[in-house]
Amino acid sequence: MTGQRIYLWTVILETKKPDHLKEAEDRYWLCECDCGTVKVVTQGTLRSRPTKSCGCIKKLKKESRAADNPEYKVWLTMKQRCHNPNSSRYSGWGARGIRVCDRWRKSFSDFLNDMGPRPSNQHSIDRIDVNGHYEPSNCRWVTNLEQAINRRPGKSGIVGVNYLKNKDKYRAVGQLNKKRKRLGEYKDFFEAVCARKSWEAKYAKNW
């Protein structure tokens, strides 16, 4: 069962029976819940009468008032992409060493208290330093446009400017509402940067 995902549990390894548990003919597994709690769980509990978590789900639902709370979804997705190698988005966050601070990883309530309610459904969580962690001093709610401008720079060192080796040119691009727009291809790096900055100024003037 090592490595298996069972609801919010990730099985780490098989272990011996803890002293505080009563004698039972069962196998014991050290498991980690998505909230960060590490606990010994019996094989029977995992298989025949599966428990979904260490108990955090019930607590979090109460804290967030509803499982479909928008901030709760942001919090859960944030943790998945940073701490769950099975997440489809792990390569862009967790694999790069990006982590959620302990305060937020363990408590949705603390996350919500620090960030406050999401201003609108057009806002998402953004890291000011795109190479930094998810923590109070490095996070804010931003619009899709603001987040697009704050993306990681490519190999050129400038966000939205990429070098095309096969053409020996620089391509300037913008991305808004998940739609990518080509701004042009240039032999001169400076011209490509100007095209990108002009796009930013056009869409950012009303911030």
Side-chain angles (χ1 to χ4, degrees):
M1 295 182 68
T2 300
Q4 286 189 26
R5 288 273 301 172
I6 302 173
Y7 293 105
L8 297 190
W9 290 116
T10 296
V11 181
I12 301 174
L13 52 81
E14 187 170 7
T15 187
K16 64 180 182 179
K17 182 184 74 64
D19 293 337
H20 68 277
L21 293 180
K22 296 180 179 179
E23 290 291 340
E25 294 183 2
D26 207 339
R27 296 172 71 179
Y28 299 87
W29 299 88
L30 186 66
C31 302
E32 181 176 9
C33 182
D34 281 357
C35 72
T37 298
V38 177
K39 184 177 180 181
V40 175
V41 185
T42 66
Q43 184 162 301
T45 299
L46 293 171
R47 284 187 169 173
S48 61
R49 49 185 186 281
T51 177
K52 293 184 177 180
S53 71
C54 65
C56 63
I57 289 181
K58 184 176 181 180
K59 179 182 178 182
L60 290 171
K61 283 184 177 180
K62 183 178 179 180
E63 289 179 341
S64 62
R65 296 186 180 181
D68 60 351
N69 182 296
E71 291 81 18
Y72 175 80
K73 289 183 176 180
V74 170
W75 176 77
L76 194 60
T77 301
M78 171 183 70
K79 295 203 303 172
Q80 285 290 310
R81 64 187 175 216
C82 289
H83 298 279
N84 181 9
N86 295 318
S87 169
S88 61
R89 306 181 71 185
Y90 182 78
S91 61
W93 283 265
R96 290 178 47 228
I98 305 301
R99 296 290 181 265
V100 179
C101 69
D102 288 342
R103 173 178 167 83
W104 285 1
R105 190 180 179 192
K106 295 177 180 178
S107 172
F108 168 70
S109 180
D110 287 340
F111 168 75
L112 188 59
N113 286 337
D114 292 339
M115 289 294 296
R118 190 170 64 157
S120 75
N121 59 9
Q122 298 299 315
H123 285 73
S124 57
I125 191 169
D126 177 66
R127 284 168 295 124
I128 299 169
D129 175 2
V130 295
N131 294 309
H133 301 301
Y134 285 98
E135 54 190 353
S137 62
N138 193 43
C139 290
R140 58 187 176 178
W141 295 116
V142 299
T143 63
N144 293 334
L145 175 59
E146 292 171 303
Q147 192 164 65
I149 290 177
N150 194 37
R151 292 183 183 277
R152 279 186 294 151
K155 292 183 179 180
S156 71
I158 300 295
V159 174
V161 176
N162 302 303
Y163 176 64
L164 306 176
K165 187 175 182 180
N166 61 329
K167 294 184 177 182
D168 191 26
K169 290 183 178 181
Y170 293 92
R171 175 182 290 163
V173 298
Q175 183 169 320
L176 183 60
N177 296 325
K178 298 183 179 180
K179 293 183 178 180
R180 186 179 176 89
K181 179 178 176 59
R182 292 187 181 185
L183 307 175
E185 295 179 359
Y186 306 87
K187 289 289 292 183
D188 186 81
F189 175 67
F190 179 73
E191 289 183 4
V193 173
C194 286
R196 167 68 189 199
K197 295 302 179 182
S198 295
W199 176 84
E200 290 181 12
K202 178 181 178 180
Y203 287 98
K205 63 183 179 181
N206 294 320
W207 287 0

